[in-house]
Amino acid sequence: MAENIIFTLNGEKVEAEAGMTIWEVANGRGLKIPHLCYTPAPGYRPDGNCRACMVEIEGERILAASCLREPENGMVVTTNNARAENARKMVMELLLADQPAQEVAHDKSSHLWDMAAFEGIQASRFPKRDEGRIPLLDDSHVAMRVNLDACIQCNLCVQACREVQVNDVIGMSGRGITVIRPLIWPIRWARPLVLRAANACRLVRPAP
């Protein structure tokens, strides 16, 4: 059995089981670090692609995604200094730039808006994408409506469908600002599977 890890978290010596991430250790101690592309629900793995959970590790040049990074003996981790907090706020502002305003959001109480409120961000100072580049509603399937204008490409819905429900009927397509989330099976095959998977996708996604 692997020995526990001892490291410093926000100035305190803490002990963690081998294999735990910094986010899991912090969360277990009541420290709240924002997260969007990761959920602690069973069956989901961290991707680290939203960068909303960044923390500082002493001696390292760049910030680390706490949902992915495992602590090591002697490591010094800080979640609450200006550098880490400002980086997380910047991520939230960039994500909100392309969101419908909260008062007209598809889901005003979504996890994304909860995390934005936690960071003290209500709106973004950055410009929205050009009108013609904003994806439209995808209601091409009877079982699923996707508000593509609110998608932050966290990939959780794809994990829910592909790895948790093991249906593999949706995926990501395109690059950069052209990324969309389409059905990847023909509709006549996908329909019964999507009917089962749609609820898992709906429950796990952080954006409206």
Side-chain angles (χ1 to χ4, degrees), residues 5 22 46 59 93 98 107 123 140 156 169 175 182 184-185 193:
I5 305 298
I22 293 171
E93 269 201 79
D98 288 329
D107 181 357
S140 58
L156 276 176
V169 296
R175 296 182 61 128
I184 58 176
W185 279 21
L193 298 176

Side-chain angles (χ1 to χ4, degrees), residues 56-130:
E56 185 177 72
I57 298 174
E58 187 176 275
E60 297 192 2
R61 183 176 61 84
I62 60 174
L63 299 175
S66 61
C67 70
L68 277 175
R69 189 65 180 273
E70 297 180 9
E72 301 171 7
N73 279 314
M75 182 181 281
V76 178
V77 179
T78 305
T79 72
N80 58 1
N81 64 2
R83 185 183 179 212
E85 290 180 348
N86 288 338
R88 296 196 299 261
K89 288 180 179 182
M90 178 64 74
V91 166
M92 205 62 65
E93 269 201 79
L94 290 168
L95 289 173
L96 290 188
D98 288 329
Q99 287 289 312
Q102 188 171 15
E103 58 268 20
V104 295
H106 306 290
D107 181 357
K108 300 176 180 62
S109 60
S110 69
H111 181 67
L112 172 65
W113 286 109
D114 288 344
M115 292 295 95
F118 175 74
E119 292 286 14
I121 305 296
Q122 296 180 327
S124 177
R125 67 194 129 148
F126 300 107
K128 291 179 71 72
R129 276 182 286 184
D130 296 337

Side-chain angles (χ1 to χ4, degrees), residues 6 25-26 53 76-78 83 100 111-112 121 124 137 145 153 167 175 177 179 189 192 202:
I6 298 176
V25 177
C53 68
V76 178
V77 179
T78 305
R83 185 183 179 212
H111 181 67
L112 172 65
I121 305 296
S124 177
L137 167 72
R145 288 166 56 91
Q153 294 141 36
N167 287 329
R175 296 182 61 128
I177 61 173
V179 168
W189 296 344
R202 180 183 63 82

